[in-house]
Amino acid sequence: MDFELTPTTSAHATALNCTDARSDPRYSLLLVCSLLIAHAPLAFNNGLYGDDWLIFKIKPDYQTMISFLLHGAGHPITYLYCALGNLSGNPTAFLNVLALAGIAIGALNLRSFLTRLGILSEFETLITVFLVWSYAGFRDWATKITAPYLFSFALLCVGLNLFAIVATSPRPRIGLRIASLAAIFCSFAINSMIVVFLVGLLVSFCLLAPAAVDDQPLTSRMARLALRFADYLALPIVYLVSINHFFPKIGPYRDYYLIRFPDFGSALSLLQQFLRWSSYEPALDGLHVAVQSNWLIGLSLLVGLSMVAIPALHGIADVPRDQKKLLDLAWPAVAGAALFILCALPYISVGIAPTGHFYESRHLLLFGLPLGLVVISALRLVQSASNRIAGYLFCLGVLSINICSLWNSYFFQQARWIRQSAMIQQLERDYRNPPAAVFNLIDGFLDYPGHTYYGITEITGGLHLAWDSRPLFGFTGRNERATILQEIDAAMQMDGAAFRNMDLRGPQATIQVRPQLPVLNNFELSLSYYRCLIHFCDWQTFADGVASTNILVGPIPNLVPIEQKAALELTGKDRFNRDTTRNVRRNE
């Protein structure tokens, strides 16, 4: 017998029956507008970071390495997004639009899904969704290759929302069911989405039960639901089997994603790294920015105030009486802690954890979910222990700090791109042809706070953008080992490796980038750039005011020649290959 899914408790029933009243479209508009304001710097950022330089065709004669996404990394869906970006003729604009669309679509569908579950109030739902889609721990919002990550997350929210509609409908809704399955399947372009999907499905199964058999045990009802929605349960298996069969990971990517299951001590250490870079560091970063810049804290307070004051004026920000019990106060924090561990588990199983480098924060995309739940638990505690005004102020503080930290990440990426663009523009203007093939970058900005070194793909891609597609190779010597040439040479020999079109044996030179005084911090430099865009100033003049660049032709000091590779292999080929694999991923 088929059945309709309804909430298992009267509280949930009341919540679901009030879905239409609580899902005021004005709050959807408020949510989307607030998020677009928070992510406004993304619209002005046309920079490339990390693997972007390998994938996107940024000028007609620029040689891309996009094939490694298919035959190497095993990401066919991500490959499609990136290929569409290249076909558009302006991949940076295409990926920015994709990211902003993902943010808006994902926020609306996550809000709708949580509303249908009926586990949070409307105000709590708004706060949670805003934190998820403006999460400052994820510092890769402006990186173009992460736009498919964002859109995949949005598709997961779409799929779960459609599932909730199908599950609570008295009719079969075959079309919506197929659309839901397709959206969820495509969201698995990022494998960690599978964990969140299974959590969302399990929560739906637990909160929604057959109306006709409420007197049966939970296990019996769960079994019925599993049979009815077996296609959803089989979806991750179908995806993993098909992807691993048709697009297996090879070369360095096979070793990088190899499941290792570290021992308890190592796993705990990795989990602590996730906790540090997903929670502590973003909070400290936001507080630091708030103290340093009155302009930023003021604007962030305005955005946060709109998310708190408007719902409060309409009376939806109060804690219902039945949420003042200990269980109702504690369960969001407990659920957030469990979800935190589950989100980290796929990465811990392969020995991966975020670091202080912004590009590694791509592993933290989903950690806004546990943050939102923990904040809701704290909000309920504050409001129950004090009053609603204290709860409003608490939410305002959390949102403002998160926005400050988010904007600081945007300004960091924008300033980083401005400095690299200045170097590229000056190389193209002052040197008609590359005077060497191997370049060591001496980046004077590394002597100042708030700047991170450029990786191999970024420098090499910048050289190709300045000149042409001839084989070139660039690196930041102070952040690489003396054996970097041997390591990259070994990586280039691996099947599926992204490194191609590099000349490791050609003439050598050193690029010197000297900051122009006064050296502006990331915020000041980004603000100057925005003013330049508004006033249509001369970019060459602006770039010359950022840095000066020159090249010294000659052997690079302390660099081991590539001919000594055989001697290195005598130290242990297996260990050398493992080190090479880690270095390849670090520099990409």
Side-chain angles (χ1 to χ4, degrees):
M1 179 181 68
D2 203 0
F3 42 75
E4 175 186 355
L5 298 187
T6 58
T8 56
T9 67
S10 59
H12 291 156
T14 302
L16 190 60
N17 291 335
C18 296
T19 294
D20 292 339
R22 294 169 57 212
S23 299
D24 193 322
R26 290 176 298 178
Y27 299 129
S28 294
L29 181 62
L30 169 66
L31 178 63
V32 171
C33 290
S34 299
L35 283 171
L36 291 180
I37 292 173
H39 290 286
L42 176 59
F44 299 97
N45 190 307
N46 63 342
L48 300 173
Y49 310 90
D51 287 351
D52 293 347
W53 289 98
L54 297 171
I55 295 169
F56 299 114
K57 198 173 187 63
I58 49 182
K59 67 176 185 177
D61 61 343
Y62 188 86
Q63 185 173 348
T64 64
M65 314 295 174
I66 191 173
S67 60
F68 81 91
L69 289 174
L70 281 180
H71 309 292
H75 293 311
I77 299 177
T78 303
Y79 172 87
L80 290 177
Y81 289 126
C82 297
L84 287 174
N86 286 335
L87 289 175
S88 71
N90 192 341
T92 56
F94 177 88
L95 272 299
N96 281 346
V97 171
L98 185 70
L100 291 171
I103 291 168
I105 294 170
L108 291 175
N109 281 273
L110 180 59
R111 174 178 180 258
S112 180
F113 176 64
L114 292 177
T115 301
R116 292 179 187 280
L117 291 182
I119 56 177
L120 301 174
S121 71
E122 178 69 9
F123 179 70
E124 292 171 341
T125 299
L126 286 173
I127 297 300
T128 301
V129 174
F130 184 86
L131 286 174
V132 168
W133 285 101
S134 64
Y135 174 54
F138 179 70
R139 301 175 62 201
D140 260 339
W141 293 98
T143 304
K144 303 305 173 281
I145 188 58
T146 57
Y149 290 33
L150 296 172
F151 201 75
S152 295
F153 190 17
L155 287 178
L156 179 61
C157 296
V158 171
L160 288 174
N161 186 37
L162 292 178
F163 167 76
I165 296 174
V166 171
T168 55
S169 175
R171 295 176 294 162
R173 310 297 291 268
I174 301 299
L176 286 182
R177 188 173 189 138
I178 294 174
S180 172
L181 291 168
I184 293 170
F185 184 88
C186 291
S187 76
F188 293 162
I190 309 302
N191 292 343
S192 55
M193 298 294 174
I194 295 177
V195 173
V196 178
F197 162 68
L198 293 175
V199 171
L201 201 63
L202 179 62
V203 170
S204 300
F205 280 6
C206 290
L207 294 180
L208 304 172
V213 289
D214 276 340
D215 56 334
Q216 293 187 3
L218 178 62
T219 53
S220 299
R221 291 180 292 182
M222 294 285 284
R224 280 177 167 268
L225 291 174
L227 289 175
R228 182 184 177 189
F229 298 105
D231 47 352
Y232 284 87
L233 293 173
L235 205 57
I237 299 174
V238 173
Y239 175 83
L240 291 174
V241 170
S242 59
I243 290 298
N244 289 324
H245 177 72
F246 294 107
F247 304 98
K249 292 176 174 57
I250 61 176
Y253 300 96
R254 179 181 55 193
D255 297 332
Y256 184 72
Y257 291 107
L258 181 65
I259 296 179
R260 299 176 179 85
F261 290 114
D263 57 68
F264 179 77
S266 299
L268 185 60
S269 176
L270 293 173
L271 192 63
Q272 290 174 340
Q273 287 293 100
F274 274 98
L275 184 61
R276 175 187 176 185
W277 295 106
S278 67
S279 304
Y280 302 149
E281 294 295 337
L284 293 174
D285 186 45
L287 288 171
H288 176 74
V289 173
V291 171
Q292 295 294 321
S293 174
N294 294 330
W295 187 89
L296 278 182
I297 187 60
L299 189 55
S300 66
L301 283 171
L302 284 177
V303 178
L305 191 62
S306 68
M307 287 295 301
V308 174
I310 294 177
L313 291 174
H314 288 79
I316 67 168
D318 298 333
V319 176
R321 290 182 180 179
D322 61 353
Q323 289 185 358
K324 295 186 178 181
K325 300 177 182 178
L326 179 60
L327 179 61
D328 293 306
L329 294 175
W331 79 256
V334 175
L339 186 57
F340 177 88
I341 295 174
L342 290 174
C343 287
L345 189 60
Y347 301 101
I348 292 177
S349 65
V350 296
I352 298 174
T355 65
H357 197 284
F358 79 97
Y359 195 64
E360 295 297 321
S361 72
R362 66 188 187 278
H363 306 315
L364 299 175
L365 171 61
L366 302 175
F367 283 77
L369 290 167
L371 172 66
L373 291 173
V374 172
V375 167
I376 293 307
S377 184
L379 168 64
R380 291 183 177 184
L381 181 62
V382 170
Q383 283 194 322
S384 62
S386 182
N387 54 55
R388 61 181 183 178
I389 301 299
Y392 299 159
L393 294 176
F394 170 76
C395 283
L396 180 60
V398 170
L399 295 181
S400 299
I401 291 173
N402 181 74
I403 294 171
C404 280
S405 184
L406 172 69
W407 283 342
N408 191 51
S409 297
Y410 271 126
F411 295 144
F412 163 79
Q413 287 194 279
Q414 184 68 71
R416 194 171 185 271
W417 170 245
I418 292 171
R419 293 167 184 141
Q420 187 179 14
S421 295
M423 179 192 74
I424 293 171
Q425 186 267 335
Q426 290 167 5
L427 289 177
E428 182 180 16
R429 180 192 63 195
D430 298 338
Y431 300 89
R432 178 180 294 272
N433 292 298
V438 179
F439 294 87
N440 171 36
L441 173 63
I442 298 180
D443 186 356
F445 288 104
L446 291 175
D447 297 326
Y448 296 85
H451 184 63
T452 303
Y453 76 96
Y454 297 106
I456 289 172
T457 58
E458 294 174 306
I459 300 176
T460 304
L463 297 176
H464 286 140
L465 182 59
W467 291 307
D468 50 37
S469 60
R470 75 186 69 186
L472 299 169
F473 178 68
F475 63 99
T476 304
R478 64 185 284 181
N479 292 95
E480 305 292 350
R481 292 189 287 262
T483 56
I484 184 63
L485 295 182
Q486 287 78 19
E487 295 169 3
I488 298 302
D489 184 59
M492 292 175 64
Q493 310 307 318
M494 295 182 181
D495 292 335
F499 289 153
R500 296 289 187 272
N501 197 35
M502 294 178 176
D503 184 356
L504 305 177
R505 295 173 172 81
Q508 299 178 0
T510 299
I511 300 175
Q512 295 180 325
V513 176
R514 295 186 179 90
Q516 298 283 46
L517 300 177
V519 179
L520 303 179
N521 61 33
N522 293 334
F523 170 63
E524 295 168 339
L525 182 57
S526 299
L527 209 59
S528 298
Y529 173 70
Y530 299 148
R531 294 195 195 101
C532 181
L533 290 179
I534 294 173
H535 293 96
F536 300 99
C537 72
D538 181 63
W539 165 247
Q540 182 172 321
T541 303
F542 181 84
D544 289 340
V546 173
S548 62
T549 306
N550 70 291
I551 297 178
L552 301 177
V553 179
I556 299 172
N558 304 318
L559 189 63
V560 179
I562 200 168
E563 287 73 17
Q564 295 186 19
K565 179 182 176 182
L568 288 172
E569 291 176 342
L570 294 177
T571 64
K573 183 176 180 180
D574 293 337
R575 179 171 59 83
F576 175 75
N577 286 338
R578 288 196 300 272
D579 290 344
T580 299
T581 298
R582 287 195 293 268
N583 189 70
V584 168
R585 294 304 302 154
R586 176 167 59 86
N587 285 296
E588 288 179 5

